[in-house]
Amino acid sequence: MAHLHAMSAARRAGRIAMVRETLAITAYETGDYALALRELRTYRRISGKDDQLPLMVDSERGVGRPERALELGRSVDRSTLDVPVRVALAIAMSGARLDLGQTEDALLELQIPQLDPKRAFSYSPALFNAYAETLEVLGREEEAAVWHDRAMIASEALEQSAADDEGETMVVVEEFLEFDDEPGSPTADAPESDDQPGEEPSGESAADEKA
């Protein structure tokens, strides 16, 4: 239903960036990655923003183009992105590496400064779980279990923080965690465009608060 509303809005107000963004997101959620990709390009062209770059990368994966997903992710200087977008992009890039069977590289994509078990932000549970799942693919089950636990602890800490103070976006969870491993950091890295709602994609082409 939300997708149908978004399509209707795009027909009436196709030059409004937020309308195209909404259509792209609903298309992505329904599994129409080609439409999502086209709408994301249009949103990017109209708005001049890269905040939906992770979704674009993931949509390239969705249409079966992991190599192009990696090219797109590398085309942007990641230091120009907000931290939550940077984290979401790392997760999407890691997924593209897994699609290509590049498991070790997939793990490296996630070894960013935000992979910090002592601090929890809104993006931490997703990042920790992605790291755990990649470790599982590598057969490192014990390490994976540790990171799944960290994801759960971070999620619970964030929920508690929200209940205690709605203004808090970060929680220090060091007291709950006695782990001492430190992740490294991968490489950095953007652009694209399109027009009318419903056309086929033709160029390159899948995020919360700042730290």
Side-chain angles (χ1 to χ4, degrees), residues 82-193:
D82 288 346
V83 172
V85 180
R86 231 178 290 166
V87 172
L89 181 58
I91 294 172
M93 294 287 281
S94 177
R97 295 285 190 188
L98 288 176
D99 293 344
L100 293 168
Q102 301 171 0
T103 317
E104 292 288 353
D105 288 335
L107 195 67
L108 288 174
E109 292 283 358
L110 298 170
Q111 291 176 350
I112 56 180
Q114 290 74 31
L115 191 69
D116 182 353
K118 298 181 178 67
R119 292 156 70 89
F121 295 88
S122 55
Y123 49 73
S124 299
L127 178 59
F128 294 174
N129 274 321
Y131 197 69
E133 289 161 10
T134 307
L135 285 167
E136 286 174 343
V137 175
L138 285 164
R140 293 157 62 175
E141 302 292 343
E142 289 186 12
E143 291 174 77
V146 168
W147 281 98
H148 276 310
D149 285 345
R150 287 171 171 171
M152 182 179 64
I153 290 169
S155 182
E156 290 173 352
L158 287 165
E159 288 175 9
Q160 185 59 50
S161 173
D164 292 345
D165 183 350
E166 291 184 352
E168 285 295 321
T169 57
M170 181 191 79
V171 181
V172 176
V173 293
E174 186 173 10
E175 57 192 311
F176 299 105
L177 302 168
E178 298 298 330
F179 315 110
D180 58 8
D181 45 308
E182 280 194 16
S185 163
T187 38
D189 339 290
E192 235 68 39
S193 77

